[in-house]
Amino acid sequence: MDALTSQKVTFKVFRFNEETDYLPYFNTYTLDVTHEEVVLDILNRIKWDHDGSLSYRRSCRHGICGVCSIKANGKGILACKTRLFDLVETFGNEITFEPLSTKRAIKDLIIDKKDFWDKHAAVNPYITGEIDENPVQEHLVSPLDAEKLLEADYCIQCGACHYSCPAVAINEEYFGPAAFAAAYRFSADVRDEDSLERLHLVNQEASGVWDCVKCMECAEVCPKEVNPIEKITKLHNMVFEANIAKNNVATRHAVGFAHSIAKHGLLDEGELVRYSEGNIGVLKHVPVALKMFSKGKIVLPWNMPKADKLDEIKKLVKSSSTVKF
Amino acid sequence: MKQLKYALFTGCTAKESTPEQMMSTLAVAKKLGIELIELTEASCCGASHLQDYDDFLSLVLNARNIAYAEKHALTMVTICNTCQLNTAMTKHRLDHNAELKAKVNEKLAEVGLEYKGTSQITHFLYALIDDFGLDKIKEMVVKPLSQFNIAPFYGCHNIRPSELQNETHKGHESAYTPTSLDDLIVACGGLSVDYVEKTKCCGFHAELQAPRTAAVLTGNAVAGAMDANADWMVTPCPLCHLKLDTQTHHASVAIGRDVSLPVLHMQQMVGLALGCTSEELGLKHHVTKVDFV
Ligand code: SF4
Ligand code: SF4
Ligand code: FES
């Protein structure tokens, strides 16, 4: 083997069989890897040459079915699309393969994706509309209208974003990035007549778009460059544009920025908390606020700094605002 | 070396709840001979929330801020990860979409401004590493931090999406194995400790809307650093700093374990190594006491 195009890599592979094992364990294999190989090739070689009991999912081998996604050193990947040498470049010569969610492992790298599919189904991921049973012509979508989907239709439901999202991991109700990308994909479709209902769904507290922590994990991990957080931002916008934003801590938190900027140019941090939480809700922040105050970390209203040329900012806020709340 | 000069976009936090961040930025810049022209006309970047309400307004305001840096013909330097992301994202969108740029400029023209796309945008962390140079910092260290295990906490918006951030600084930063902050710790003579949470989210942006999620993330981050035997944490983001420094009570309750560590701004760490005093660096402004100096 050509020294430049092959190298030794040590693989730690997650093993667990829910029918026989109490605890997961890892098997280690050191293999010579060539520069053409993708992760799926390695899994196949381990299964065929070392241990036929190793279980993982694969189907299309072309990066379009989404079933082969696993984690390599914590990074969500499609096994059939990810070149080993790219992983080595990022992580070095020791690579750990784990299921997308160790908590949901059934057998080795295979997980129970029920929560993912349930959430996907919950956002009505299909076009709703009056169907003419005897159409005279096709329902044409112009290229400009197709562009509005912002490539959300590239999603292959691999689940890499869902199982990388910290909000999903902590809050079981949260729909998660892939479900939101799907919600956007169908609500942005000009043929759909259900977008208002879908917007109501994603506007709910705890499960909806407001619980996103904006960590950008979903944008980073997606192997199809769907950029789910961009779609989440779009859904936020659509909720305001459709005039269905509820008056609550989440919406006021977004709107409060516009108020503050119009008044000071800068953000009035203390006032933003009061405005978002309301006069009663703000009280729960008093203990932390007092500690911050004692350390000189709170600016009192009469000392609130202002941006220079505030008149310019005020003028732009007035002329460039596109929504009202 | 020609003296480095930047247009400083302070963001709001440095003017309000993290005064020590402003102080330490100025102290470090002075020590290193970096000239900072503060963009006093700049507005809030919207902190990733204004764009949820009104994306176009957010673009116009961020473009206005960059236009002021362009007036000085300087690279804009930010000192907050979220300001960095919002500003860099605005620049990226306008530079890649002539129609959007024209629409934004139509608004800016009302106040006699134009966004051209001529100024670069970088974070102070990357200005130190890419432009000033780690080797030169190392040479200037007078008080190496050699007795400390320091836990780097990168903050989401400097490392993700990596495609965008790698446009704004010269060194490549992987979202999965970033090195900039670790390298800076080492240049200051400290030992950088490794832990899984160093690239994770602190929860700041959902603190009001999703307090439990936010508190668990904060707790996990500090617990991860404690378990890695860190003496303290360091971050380039004042929002991460605020979350990790002031919210440890909620975080401890949320994860069922007492967690607390001093959290320094990246500038304060560099300042300590360069021999700045604790007064210059504003160390008394921390809620979780900085008790090692
Ligand atoms: S940005 Fe939001 S949706 Fe995406 S991974 Fe982070 S919390 Fe989840
Ligand atoms: S958005 Fe991307 S990462 Fe998420 S499920 Fe779809 S293809 Fe996979
Ligand atoms: S096997 Fe279908 S995406 Fe990998």
Side-chain angles (χ1 to χ4, degrees):
Chain A
M1 242 180 257
D2 184 345
L4 280 174
T5 54
S6 89
Q7 54 181 304
K8 264 197 190 344
V9 181
T10 300
F11 298 99
K12 270 178 73 195
V13 186
F14 179 93
R15 304 300 306 267
F16 176 69
N17 182 343
E18 71 171 3
E19 287 177 3
T20 53
D21 298 330
Y22 283 112
L23 289 172
Y25 57 98
F26 285 89
N27 278 155
T28 304
Y29 307 92
T30 301
L31 305 179
D32 265 320
V33 176
T34 62
H35 83 289
E36 301 94 355
E37 285 182 293
V38 293
V39 170
L40 186 56
D41 295 319
I42 304 303
L43 295 177
N44 286 340
R45 279 171 56 194
I46 293 174
K47 186 175 179 72
W48 296 337
D49 301 343
H50 299 272
D51 185 347
S53 72
L54 177 67
S55 300
Y56 48 93
R57 285 193 177 115
R58 79 273 196 212
S59 178
C60 72
R61 212 232 179 272
H62 283 289
I64 52 158
C65 75
V67 302
C68 68
S69 53
I70 60 167
K71 279 186 180 164
N73 288 26
K75 176 186 184 188
I77 55 157
L78 290 181
C80 72
K81 199 184 158 191
T82 308
R83 289 161 50 95
L84 231 302
F85 274 29
D86 289 343
L87 287 180
V88 169
E89 200 184 309
T90 308
F91 296 111
N93 285 52
E94 273 185 34
I95 308 284
T96 302
F97 293 139
E98 285 176 294
L100 278 183
S101 162
T102 50
K103 213 170 72 185
R104 305 188 68 86
I106 300 171
K107 187 153 189 246
D108 304 336
L109 302 176
I110 296 175
I111 62 163
D112 171 4
K113 255 172 101 174
K114 183 174 186 311
D115 66 320
F116 175 85
W117 292 117
D118 284 350
K119 287 169 177 172
H120 183 248
V123 300
N124 301 341
Y126 38 77
I127 292 169
T128 311
E130 284 297 316
I131 309 278
D132 181 352
E133 304 230 327
N134 301 296
V136 269
Q137 66 165 66
E138 292 166 274
H139 195 143
L140 295 176
V141 176
S142 72
L144 218 59
D145 281 335
E147 261 176 39
K148 289 191 188 128
L149 304 188
L150 298 173
E151 300 182 348
D153 51 336
Y154 284 11
C155 174
I156 55 172
Q157 282 93 36
C158 70
C161 61
H162 186 83
Y163 296 108
S164 299
C165 170
V168 167
I170 295 165
N171 165 11
E172 288 188 359
E173 283 179 67
Y174 184 63
F175 280 129
F180 291 133
Y184 174 76
R185 184 254 168 272
F186 292 100
S187 293
D189 194 306
V190 284
R191 298 165 297 179
D192 182 67
E193 289 168 12
D194 213 9
S195 66
L196 200 59
E197 193 186 318
R198 234 180 264 108
L199 286 180
H200 277 295
L201 275 170
V202 304
N203 189 28
Q204 292 172 58
E205 275 176 49
S207 56
V209 283
W210 307 103
D211 274 50
C212 169
V213 296
K214 311 201 166 203
C215 65
M216 303 274 160
E217 294 270 9
C218 52
E220 189 63 35
V221 75
C222 178
K224 305 301 279 187
E225 293 178 28
V226 169
N227 197 354
I229 172 96
E230 178 195 41
K231 279 65 191 177
I232 292 174
T233 304
K234 285 278 174 196
L235 290 170
H236 279 118
N237 294 159
M238 287 159 86
V239 162
F240 281 112
E241 285 155 11
N243 221 352
I244 60 162
K246 293 180 198 143
N247 187 352
N248 59 26
V249 59
T251 52
R252 287 193 302 264
H253 187 243
V255 176
F257 278 83
H259 289 319
S260 241
I261 294 172
K263 197 162 163 198
H264 309 282
L266 303 176
L267 181 66
D268 185 341
E269 295 170 331
E271 171 57 15
L272 177 74
V273 177
R274 195 207 59 79
Y275 176 80
S276 308
E277 295 279 17
N279 288 332
I280 308 281
V282 73
L283 296 177
K284 63 173 175 275
H285 297 285
V286 168
V288 172
L290 286 175
K291 278 189 211 160
M292 289 176 67
F293 181 73
S294 72
K295 302 290 181 175
K297 288 176 101 70
I298 291 214
V299 174
L300 294 166
W302 48 89
N303 287 329
M304 177 61 209
K306 287 197 192 307
D308 285 354
K309 304 205 172 157
L310 187 54
D311 51 323
E312 262 182 39
I313 296 170
K314 282 180 196 277
K315 196 169 172 184
L316 286 176
V317 172
K318 210 165 172 193
S319 77
S320 309
S321 292
T322 58
V323 272
K324 286 250 171 312
F325 177 72
Chain B
M1 186 167 82
K2 209 175 123 237
Q3 198 194 17
L4 291 172
K5 187 173 174 182
Y6 299 95
L8 173 66
F9 177 50
T10 65
C12 306
T13 314
K15 295 270 174 181
E16 297 176 52
S17 50
T18 59
E20 72 282 0
Q21 200 218 7
M22 188 70 187
M23 297 162 74
S24 52
T25 302
L26 298 179
V28 166
K30 193 169 156 205
K31 274 267 186 222
L32 300 179
I34 297 174
E35 193 180 344
L36 298 174
I37 309 291
E38 189 185 331
L39 295 172
T40 51
E41 310 89 346
S43 74
C44 168
C45 73
S48 85
H49 296 283
L50 177 66
Q51 74 207 43
D52 289 344
Y53 172 50
D54 195 329
D55 185 52
F56 184 67
L57 177 61
S58 158
L59 275 177
V60 170
L61 292 172
N62 281 300
R64 176 180 172 276
N65 293 342
I66 305 171
Y68 273 103
E70 290 177 357
K71 274 195 160 191
H72 291 286
L74 290 173
T75 293
M76 177 197 271
V77 71
T78 64
I79 49 175
C80 166
N81 288 20
T82 296
C83 295
Q84 172 68 18
L85 176 65
N86 279 311
T87 315
M89 199 172 342
T90 300
K91 178 172 172 60
H92 180 92
R93 287 174 65 188
L94 298 184
D95 290 352
H96 290 85
N97 185 338
E99 203 185 319
L100 193 62
K101 185 173 158 185
K103 268 192 199 158
V104 165
N105 271 331
E106 209 177 284
K107 295 296 169 191
L108 291 182
E110 291 171 10
V111 293
L113 290 170
E114 187 191 354
Y115 170 85
K116 296 192 188 78
T118 50
S119 277
Q120 298 306 308
I121 293 156
T122 191
H123 187 288
F124 197 56
L125 171 66
Y126 300 123
L128 292 185
I129 292 176
D130 296 339
D131 302 344
F132 193 84
L134 285 170
D135 289 343
K136 275 193 69 193
I137 292 179
K138 216 167 171 178
E139 276 168 26
M140 293 176 75
V141 166
V142 291
K143 283 189 180 167
L145 307 172
S146 45
Q147 70 271 47
F148 299 116
N149 290 338
I150 306 171
F153 190 79
Y154 280 84
C156 301
H157 294 172
N158 257 17
I159 54 174
R160 288 180 292 268
S162 53
E163 213 183 350
L164 180 64
Q165 301 307 29
N166 281 320
E167 262 177 25
T168 61
H169 68 95
K170 293 162 198 150
H172 171 75
E173 186 95 302
S174 156
Y176 296 94
T177 51
T179 57
S180 59
L181 200 49
D182 291 84
D183 293 345
L184 191 62
I185 291 170
V186 173
C188 292
L191 188 84
S192 91
V193 303
D194 198 19
Y195 63 116
V196 171
E197 293 79 9
K198 73 178 185 180
T199 57
K200 302 293 179 210
C201 177
C202 72
F204 180 88
H205 289 288
E207 190 184 323
L208 301 185
Q209 310 92 299
R212 198 183 90 82
T213 301
V216 172
L217 289 174
T218 308
N220 289 346
V222 184
M226 288 171 81
D227 291 346
N229 253 336
D231 297 307
W232 38 281
M233 300 174 81
V234 66
T235 179
C237 179
L239 307 182
C240 296
H241 165 85
L242 274 176
K243 194 79 179 75
L244 301 170
D245 176 53
T246 72
Q247 298 285 330
T248 43
H249 174 67
H250 292 144
S252 300
V253 174
I255 66 162
R257 168 181 168 188
D258 266 341
V259 287
S260 169
L261 271 183
V263 185
L264 269 69
H265 299 281
M266 169 270 286
Q267 296 90 324
Q268 291 177 316
M269 174 184 76
V270 177
L272 282 176
L274 295 178
C276 299
T277 64
S278 80
E279 286 73 34
E280 284 174 293
L281 300 173
L283 291 173
K284 66 169 199 247
H285 290 294
H286 291 233
V287 168
T288 306
K289 225 170 153 197
V290 181
D291 49 11
F292 52 84
V293 274

